[in-house]
Amino acid sequence: MSERRKLTLKDIAKDLGISVSTASRALKAHPDIAQETIQMVKDYAAKHNYVPNIIAVNFRKSRTKNIGLIVPELVHHFFSTVISGSIDEAKKSGYNILVSQSNDFLADEIVACKTMMASSVDGLLISISNETYDGDHILEFIDEGKPVIQFDKILEKLPVPKVIVDDFEGGYSATKHLIDQGCKRIAHIAGRKDVLNACERMKGYKKALNDHQIPFKEEYIRYCESISEEEGEQFMEEFLALPNPPDAVFCITDLVALGVIKALKNKGISIPDQIAIVGFSNWKLAEIVSPSLTSIDQHGYQMGVVAVRMLIQKLEDKNFEIPDTLELKTRLVIRDSSVKVKA
Amino acid sequence: MSERRKLTLKDIAKDLGISVSTASRALKAHPDIAQETIQMVKDYAAKHNYVPNIIAVNFRKSRTKNIGLIVPELVHHFFSTVISGSIDEAKKSGYNILVSQSNDFLADEIVACKTMMASSVDGLLISISNETYDGDHILEFIDEGKPVIQFDKILEKLPVPKVIVDDFEGGYSATKHLIDQGCKRIAHIAGRKDVLNACERMKGYKKALNDHQIPFKEEYIRYCESISEEEGEQFMEEFLALPNPPDAVFCITDLVALGVIKALKNKGISIPDQIAIVGFSNWKLAEIVSPSLTSIDQHGYQMGVVAVRMLIQKLEDKNFEIPDTLELKTRLVIRDSSVKVKA
DNA sequence: TTTGTTGATGTATTCGTTTTCATGGATTCC
DNA sequence: GGAATCCATGAAAACGAATACATCAACAAA
C-alpha cells in the first residue's frame, strides 16, 4: 500500500539545492565539505530517514558483503556451533554468511563452491569433506581474488590459511586424564588413518602413553570408517573379548563413545569403575547420556568467530596477511564417565 | 596473480562487432534476435567463459536474491533441520538464505530484523521468539513490499502467512498412542499457556482423552516455564508423590522427557512398564537416550522447504497469493519408551 | 510508386552511488 | 595587479546489465 519510493541521494540533492556528489560526500563527512553543509545534509537525511541503497553501493564497490561458509553437515552440533559464531561475528561488520553443506561428498562440495562463486561471495570459509584430497575447486576462489580460509577439517597441502583445533593436545589431555584416574590399559577407537584430525588425536594419545611409561599396544586400537555409534559398540565388544580387556577407552568422537557405553551397559559392566570412557567434541549428547560423558570441547563458536574475523580483516585490507595456521586449544570437560572414585 | 578483468557484455559486443543490447538479448534468446546471432554470441560466451556480473544484474533488478531467515536458536536440532531444508530449496532457484538468531529475546529479534532490512533481503522467513507478542518490526517488511512468512513459532494475530506443524494432531496422536498401550492415567507436562504450539498440543491431548472416555484431571498437568530437563525431572517427582501417580507422561518436548526419564531412573521405576513416556520434536537425543524415546516428528526439513518455496513463488510472481496457513502433519515415531509388552 | 509491416539491430537511458576531474570564487603572496 | 593557492562545490563519468525507443532494410500490399 505505502508505495513510497525510496529516498535517494538525488532527492536529497534536489530538495536541498545541492549536487548529488556534495550530498554523497557530506554524508560521509568528507573533509572537502563545509561543516554547515555536512550538518544540513545529515539532518535532512536523519529527518527523512534516508538509508543508502545497499545494492547500489555494493555494485559500485563490486562486492556483496556475503561470505560463503561450507561445512560437511549443517545439522550437526559442532558445525552449527561454528556457524553460530561466524554469523554473530560477521554481523558486527555488516557481513552476511551464506551457508552450504557438502554432506561429506566431494561432488556436493564442488557444487557448493560453484554456487558460492555464482552468488559472488567476497570470500570463503570451508571445512572440507571426507572425500576431498584435491583443492582445485577451492583454489578457483583465490584465482578470482577472493580470500579463503580453511577450518577444522582441512586439506593440509592447500596453500590456504587454516584455523584448526589442536587435536594433538586434545588427544594428549584426554589420555592423560585417563592415566591420572589410574587407568593402565587405555584403548583408543580412532578415526580413518587418512583424516588429519584423527591422526593428530592418535599422536596425542601415543605421546601421553609414552610420557607415562605405558606401552602402546596395537590390540587396543581400532579404526572407524564411518565414525558411527554402531562401530563404537562393535569395537567395544571386540575389546571385551580380549584376554586382557582395557580399563579405559578414548573415543574419536562422542557418538562412538555412545556406542561404547551401550555395549558396556549390555554386558553390565560399570562405567567408569570397570572401564572409564572419554569422548571427543563435547556434543550436546555428552551431557545427556548416562553416565554423562567426559569429552574434549573444541570451541566451535570461537572457531567460527576467529575464522570470520581474519577473513574480514583480509577483505577490508588487501595487505593484511592471514596467519598460515591458527590453532585453538581444546578443553577437557570432565563428567561422570571417567572419574573413578578414589578408593 | 591472474589479474584477468572479468569479461563483460561490452567486451563481447566489441569483439563480435555488435551492440551491447544485442549481446544481452542474444544470451537470453530474445525472439527479436536472429538465430545465427544468438548462436554466435552464445558460442563466444561459452568459449570465453562469460558469467554475468550478478551484482550488476541484481542492482538493475533491484533485488538481492537473499532471503532472511530468523530462528530463536541456531544450535538446535529442529531449527537446524529447518535451515537445512530452506537452504537446499532456495539454492534450486538461485536464492541464498541469510540466517540470524533471536536467542528467544525480543530485543535480539528486532535487531535481527533490522540487520535483515539493512542487508536488503528480498523476503523474510521468521519463527518468533518467546517474548514476541507484537509484530511491528515484522510488518515493516510488508511495508517495504517484502513478503514475509512465519513458520513454526508464530504470532497468530499477525496478518502474515504461516507454515506450521499440526500441533493439535501431534498432541492427539501422542496421547492416543499411550491410550492404545493400555495407559489409563496419562499425565501431560505442558508448555507455557501463552505459547500457541503448547496450547494446541494440550488441546490434542484433551481431545484424545475425551474421545476415549478418560477423564481429564488437573492434578496430572504441569506447565513448564523454560522447557528444560530440570523441569521435567522436578514435575515427574511431583507426579510420583501423588496418591495415585500416572502410568504415562506425554511431554511437551524431548528435553523435558529426558528429565522425566532421569527422575524415573533415580527412583528405579521401569520405563515403559510402570510408566510410559512420549516426547515431542523427535530430536537426535530421542534415538540416543535409553530407553529410546517415542516422539512426534515435526518434519523440520520439509517445513523449511515449503516455506522457502512459497516465498520464492511470491517473489517471482507478485500476483501469487501465499495460502494463509499451511499445516504440516506430524508423524509418531514409536520407540522403546512407550511400548508395553503385551501381557 | 507509395505505404505499411516485419524483422534485426543499434542508440540511449536507467538503476543509485562513488569518485575523478573540472570550475570558480576567495584569499594570499610577490 | 597578476599569479598561486585554497576551498567548496558541481558536472560527468564510471560500474554492468536491461530495456524502451529509434532506425533501417526488405518485402508485401495497395
Side-chain angles (χ1 to χ4, degrees):
Chain A
M1 44 181 68
S2 73
E3 205 44 78
R4 57 175 147 130
R5 213 176 47 70
K6 280 280 209 157
L7 194 67
T8 72
L9 277 185
K10 208 189 290 183
D11 301 325
I12 298 186
K14 185 151 39 148
D15 276 24
L16 253 36
I18 58 178
S19 74
V20 178
S21 43
T22 305
S24 169
R25 280 179 284 222
L27 283 174
K28 10 192 81 59
H30 191 286
D32 274 4
I33 305 297
Q35 269 309 317
E36 314 115 57
T37 314
I38 294 185
Q39 239 351 288
M40 175 179 73
V41 177
K42 283 196 170 172
D43 287 352
Y44 185 98
K47 186 173 162 204
H48 294 79
N49 195 25
Y50 166 75
V51 353
N53 181 326
I54 224 192
I55 316 182
V57 175
N58 286 345
F59 170 53
R60 185 67 231 275
K61 304 215 162 141
S62 58
R63 65 171 190 205
T64 54
K65 281 243 168 185
N66 288 167
I67 292 172
L69 174 59
I70 299 178
V71 293
E73 257 187 287
L74 202 155
V75 185
H76 183 293
H77 186 261
F78 174 68
F79 287 119
S80 51
T81 310
V82 176
I83 295 172
S84 178
S86 22
I87 288 180
D88 288 353
E89 181 65 21
K91 191 185 288 188
K92 288 186 195 161
S93 319
Y95 281 83
N96 302 307
I97 298 286
L98 306 186
V99 183
S100 207
Q101 47 189 339
S102 67
N103 303 307
D104 255 321
F105 296 133
L106 174 60
D108 288 19
E109 183 176 295
I110 292 177
V111 170
C113 281
K114 290 217 185 308
T115 309
M116 290 298 176
M117 194 64 99
S119 33
S120 178
V121 294
D122 294 342
L124 181 73
L125 304 174
I126 185 168
S127 189
I128 63 166
S129 84
N130 274 334
E131 297 183 354
T132 309
Y133 298 107
D134 165 44
D136 287 351
H137 53 297
I138 297 169
L139 287 174
E140 274 183 38
F141 286 82
I142 310 283
D143 283 354
E144 295 277 335
K146 300 176 190 300
V148 178
I149 295 181
Q150 301 188 75
F151 68 93
D152 192 52
K153 292 176 67 187
I154 62 168
L155 193 54
E156 209 173 13
K157 64 175 184 184
L158 260 200
V160 160
K162 305 159 182 75
V163 178
I164 49 176
V165 107
D166 191 339
D167 283 291
F168 174 85
E169 182 229 17
Y172 189 97
S173 65
T175 311
K176 172 152 191 311
H177 167 68
L178 289 169
I179 295 171
D180 289 347
Q181 297 301 311
C183 302
K184 305 286 181 203
R185 303 180 306 281
I186 302 172
H188 177 34
I189 300 184
R192 281 163 45 168
K193 289 179 188 171
D194 56 357
V195 172
L196 191 65
N197 313 57
C199 293
E200 289 297 312
R201 291 175 203 175
M202 171 68 90
K203 280 187 199 160
Y205 161 80
K206 285 183 178 172
K207 181 72 161 46
L209 292 186
N210 199 54
D211 284 358
H212 296 81
Q213 293 81 43
I214 299 181
F216 171 81
K217 288 192 184 162
E218 197 64 54
E219 61 179 351
Y220 289 155
I221 303 294
R222 290 294 183 282
Y223 297 92
C224 288
E225 191 56 36
S226 59
I227 319 273
S228 64
E229 187 181 348
E230 289 71 27
E231 284 173 321
E233 196 169 352
Q234 183 202 322
F235 291 147
M236 188 66 235
E237 282 166 9
E238 293 179 19
F239 285 146
L240 291 175
L242 291 176
N244 198 12
D247 58 3
V249 186
F250 162 41
C251 304
I252 182 73
T253 218
D254 288 350
L255 194 61
V256 173
L258 188 70
V260 168
I261 291 176
K262 193 172 274 185
L264 292 177
K265 279 188 181 168
N266 281 344
K267 300 276 182 186
I269 295 174
S270 90
I271 307 169
D273 297 329
Q274 290 178 266
I275 298 189
I277 302 175
V278 176
F280 207 106
S281 273
N282 195 27
W283 292 354
K284 189 84 188 167
L285 76 87
E287 303 171 30
I288 284 170
V289 289
S290 84
S292 62
L293 180 64
T294 294
S295 191
I296 301 287
D297 192 278
Q298 296 174 284
H299 303 294
Y301 189 92
Q302 185 60 17
M303 182 173 270
V305 168
V306 168
V308 164
R309 191 180 295 156
M310 294 204 311
L311 192 69
I312 291 181
Q313 275 190 58
K314 178 73 179 177
L315 287 172
E316 315 258 281
D317 169 16
K318 286 283 172 204
N319 295 318
F320 175 76
E321 281 300 325
I322 307 177
D324 182 63
T325 303
L326 202 142
E327 243 176 354
L328 301 177
K329 292 300 168 201
T330 59
R331 182 174 56 104
L332 175 69
V333 181
I334 300 175
R335 298 201 181 85
D336 299 340
S337 70
S338 66
V339 180
K340 306 228 182 194
V341 183
K342 298 286 177 194
Chain B
M1 46 180 68
S2 74
E3 205 44 81
R4 57 175 146 134
R5 214 179 47 71
K6 279 282 208 158
L7 195 67
T8 73
L9 275 186
K10 208 189 292 184
D11 300 325
I12 298 187
K14 186 151 39 148
D15 276 23
L16 252 37
I18 59 178
S19 74
V20 176
S21 48
T22 304
S24 168
R25 281 180 285 221
L27 283 173
K28 9 194 79 59
H30 191 285
D32 274 5
I33 305 297
Q35 268 310 317
E36 314 116 56
T37 313
I38 294 185
Q39 239 352 288
M40 175 180 72
V41 177
K42 283 196 171 173
D43 288 352
Y44 185 97
K47 186 172 163 206
H48 294 79
N49 195 26
Y50 166 75
V51 354
N53 180 326
I54 223 189
I55 317 183
V57 175
N58 286 346
F59 170 53
R60 183 70 227 278
K61 304 215 163 140
S62 59
R63 65 171 191 204
T64 54
K65 282 245 169 183
N66 287 167
I67 291 172
L69 174 59
I70 299 178
V71 293
E73 257 186 287
L74 203 156
V75 184
H76 182 293
H77 186 261
F78 174 68
F79 287 118
S80 53
T81 310
V82 175
I83 295 172
S84 177
S86 25
I87 288 179
D88 288 353
E89 181 65 21
K91 191 186 287 187
K92 288 186 195 161
S93 318
Y95 281 82
N96 302 307
I97 299 286
L98 305 185
V99 183
S100 206
Q101 48 190 339
S102 67
N103 303 308
D104 255 322
F105 296 134
L106 174 59
D108 288 19
E109 183 176 294
I110 291 177
V111 170
C113 280
K114 290 217 186 309
T115 309
M116 291 297 176
M117 194 63 98
S119 33
S120 181
V121 294
D122 295 342
L124 181 72
L125 304 174
I126 185 168
S127 190
I128 62 166
S129 84
N130 274 334
E131 297 183 353
T132 308
Y133 298 108
D134 165 44
D136 286 352
H137 53 296
I138 296 169
L139 288 175
E140 274 183 39
F141 286 83
I142 310 284
D143 283 354
E144 296 276 335
K146 299 176 190 303
V148 178
I149 295 181
Q150 302 187 75
F151 69 92
D152 192 53
K153 293 176 66 186
I154 61 167
L155 193 54
E156 210 174 12
K157 64 174 184 183
L158 259 201
V160 161
K162 306 161 181 73
V163 178
I164 48 177
V165 106
D166 193 338
D167 282 292
F168 174 85
E169 182 229 16
Y172 189 97
S173 65
T175 312
K176 173 155 190 311
H177 168 68
L178 290 169
I179 296 172
D180 289 347
Q181 297 302 310
C183 302
K184 305 286 183 205
R185 301 180 308 281
I186 302 173
H188 178 33
I189 300 184
R192 280 162 46 168
K193 290 179 188 171
D194 56 357
V195 171
L196 190 66
N197 312 57
C199 293
E200 289 297 312
R201 291 175 203 175
M202 170 68 92
K203 280 187 199 160
Y205 160 80
K206 284 183 178 173
K207 181 72 162 45
L209 291 186
N210 198 54
D211 284 357
H212 296 82
Q213 294 80 43
I214 299 181
F216 170 81
K217 288 191 182 163
E218 197 63 55
E219 61 179 350
Y220 289 154
I221 303 293
R222 290 294 183 281
Y223 297 94
C224 288
E225 190 56 36
S226 59
I227 319 272
S228 64
E229 188 181 348
E230 288 71 27
E231 284 174 321
E233 195 169 352
Q234 183 203 323
F235 292 146
M236 188 67 234
E237 282 165 9
E238 293 178 19
F239 285 145
L240 290 175
L242 291 176
N244 198 11
D247 58 3
V249 186
F250 163 41
C251 304
I252 183 73
T253 218
D254 288 350
L255 193 61
V256 173
L258 188 69
V260 168
I261 291 176
K262 194 172 276 184
L264 293 176
K265 279 188 181 168
N266 282 343
K267 300 275 183 186
I269 296 173
S270 89
I271 308 168
D273 297 329
Q274 290 177 268
I275 298 189
I277 302 176
V278 175
F280 208 106
S281 273
N282 196 27
W283 292 354
K284 190 84 188 165
L285 76 87
E287 303 171 30
I288 284 171
V289 290
S290 83
S292 62
L293 180 63
T294 294
S295 190
I296 302 288
D297 191 278
Q298 297 173 286
H299 302 295
Y301 189 92
Q302 184 61 14
M303 182 174 270
V305 168
V306 168
V308 163
R309 191 180 296 157
M310 294 204 312
L311 192 70
I312 291 181
Q313 274 190 59
K314 178 73 178 177
L315 288 172
E316 314 259 281
D317 169 17
K318 286 283 171 204
N319 296 317
F320 175 77
E321 281 301 324
I322 307 177
D324 181 64
T325 303
L326 203 142
E327 244 176 353
L328 301 177
K329 293 300 168 199
T330 58
R331 182 173 56 105
L332 175 69
V333 181
I334 301 173
R335 297 201 182 83
D336 299 340
S337 70
S338 67
V339 181
K340 305 227 182 196
V341 184
K342 298 288 177 190

